[in-house]
Amino acid sequence: QNVDGLHQRAGSTDVVELHGNLFTDRCSAPDCGQRAEAADLDAGTAPPCPRCGARLRPGVVWFGEALPADALERAWSAAGSCDLVFSIGTSAVVYPAAELAWIAARAGAAVVEINPEPTPLTDAADFVISQPGGVALPALLRALGPDPSDGADT
């Protein structure tokens, strides 16, 4: 659900933007497909598409819209070949994204679920941490010890 660029700012280089990107607008005309840098919406209205003149809209997937086919294919491929998958803070009920952890599990990957509430994935997960991601992830990092790249002595 990386629509905010957080993974890229953290250094990830091959991010699958399954739900789009807030920093890119796209044409609202279904047959156009034009993309543009996100507009400043302080003017109160979305700018026109430079290609067809229809209004630009945020480049994210809204409820009820299909996920981008190329991103979904990349995500399915990654899930089917990974060793470990984290499912963090999701209900695990909105498909097709919810299927990714199941694909990984069927392919033999270890599944870690971090969520304060049980989900349909909970019983299938190899490790379940019943906490919010904002609590569990910093604790996991502390448990792993200092980052060798930060220059700290170990």
Side-chain angles (χ1 to χ4, degrees):
Q1 297 176 356
N2 178 52
V3 298
D4 58 7
L6 183 60
H7 287 288
Q8 291 90 331
R9 290 193 312 254
S12 297
T13 58
D14 191 20
V15 176
V16 177
E17 291 178 324
L18 195 60
H19 292 100
N21 183 320
L22 283 172
F23 303 108
T24 303
D25 286 342
R26 66 180 184 179
C27 182
S28 60
D31 57 344
C32 179
Q34 179 69 30
R35 297 197 172 273
E37 185 176 327
D40 179 7
L41 297 180
D42 288 340
T45 184
C49 172
R51 179 183 294 163
C52 74
R55 294 288 173 202
L56 293 175
R57 55 161 275 192
V60 297
V61 176
W62 290 335
F63 283 104
E65 290 183 327
L67 298 175
D70 59 330
L72 189 54
E73 287 294 326
R74 286 185 61 215
W76 280 334
S77 176
S81 63
C82 71
D83 297 319
L84 172 68
V85 66
F86 280 81
S87 177
I88 305 170
T90 178
S91 66
V93 297
V94 181
Y95 280 75
E99 187 176 13
L100 294 170
W102 292 99
I103 291 170
R106 286 192 299 271
V111 176
V112 179
E113 181 181 57
I114 300 175
N115 200 319
E117 302 295 327
T119 74
L121 181 63
T122 301
D123 289 339
D126 297 290
F127 303 95
V128 176
I129 301 173
S130 299
Q131 296 179 325
V135 173
L137 290 172
L140 284 172
L141 287 174
R142 283 192 302 276
L144 290 172
D147 181 348
S149 67
D150 71 7
D153 292 331
T154 57

